[in-house]
């Protein structure tokens, strides 16, 4: 009985610390969601800019053939294309970096949560084992009592 009370007290203490950690986790989860939304927006914007740069380059390159200085026109169009394409790629990369960082933080938070919950789970297992042992002892005592009360067997 004392063992069960001690296990229950430890379990309640650990559960209280887990509840306060859960409140902090809600704030962190909101931050993650906001950052993931921003990462997705950056990736979408980057992809859109690269696609727009490709379309614009195709149009400008085609228009260059009607000009006198075709090569200069094409070189300038290519420079604009490369610049816009790089900017789009940079935005996508920034978005992917944010996403990877959030996923890393989520994984680490999950590991920390598992570490915090491990003692609680161990206490719960010990409490269940103690209950099973007490139940088994009661059953054994009842069987012994029944056998003593009923001589002659089955």
């Amino acid at each position: 009985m004392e063992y069960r009370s001690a296990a229950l007290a430890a379990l309640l203490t650990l559960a209280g610390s887990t509840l306060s950690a859960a409140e902090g986790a809600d704030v962190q989860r909101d931050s993650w969601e906001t950052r993931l939304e921003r990462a997705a927006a950056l990736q979408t914007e980057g992809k859109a800019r690269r696609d727009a740069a490709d379309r614009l380059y195709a149009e400008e390159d085609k228009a260059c053939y009607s000009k006198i200085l075709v090569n200069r026109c094409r070189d300038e169009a290519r420079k604009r294309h490369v610049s816009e394409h790089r900017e789009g790629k940079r935005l996508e990369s920034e978005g992917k970096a944010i996403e990877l960082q959030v996923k890393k933080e989520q994984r680490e938070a999950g590991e920390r949560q598992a570490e915090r919950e491990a003692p609680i789970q161990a206490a719960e297992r010990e409490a269940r084992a103690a209950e099973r042992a007490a139940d088994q002892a009661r059953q054994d005592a009842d069987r012994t009592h029944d056998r003593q009360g009923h001589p002659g067997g089955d």
Side-chain angles (χ1 to χ4, degrees), residues 41-91:
L42 284 171
Q43 290 177 27
T44 302
E45 181 184 349
K47 175 83 170 104
R49 284 182 85 160
R50 288 190 316 131
D51 291 345
D54 290 343
R55 283 191 304 276
L56 182 61
Y57 175 67
E59 291 171 9
E60 287 180 344
D61 189 53
K62 186 176 180 180
C64 285
Y65 288 103
S66 64
K67 297 190 176 185
I68 295 175
L69 299 174
V70 174
N71 288 335
R72 176 183 283 175
C73 178
R74 291 185 75 211
D75 287 344
E76 289 171 358
R78 188 175 17 258
K79 286 178 187 176
R80 283 189 298 275
H81 174 257
V82 168
S83 175
E84 271 303 303
H85 203 269
R86 281 184 183 157
E87 179 60 18
K89 190 67 174 168
R90 185 193 66 75
L91 290 172

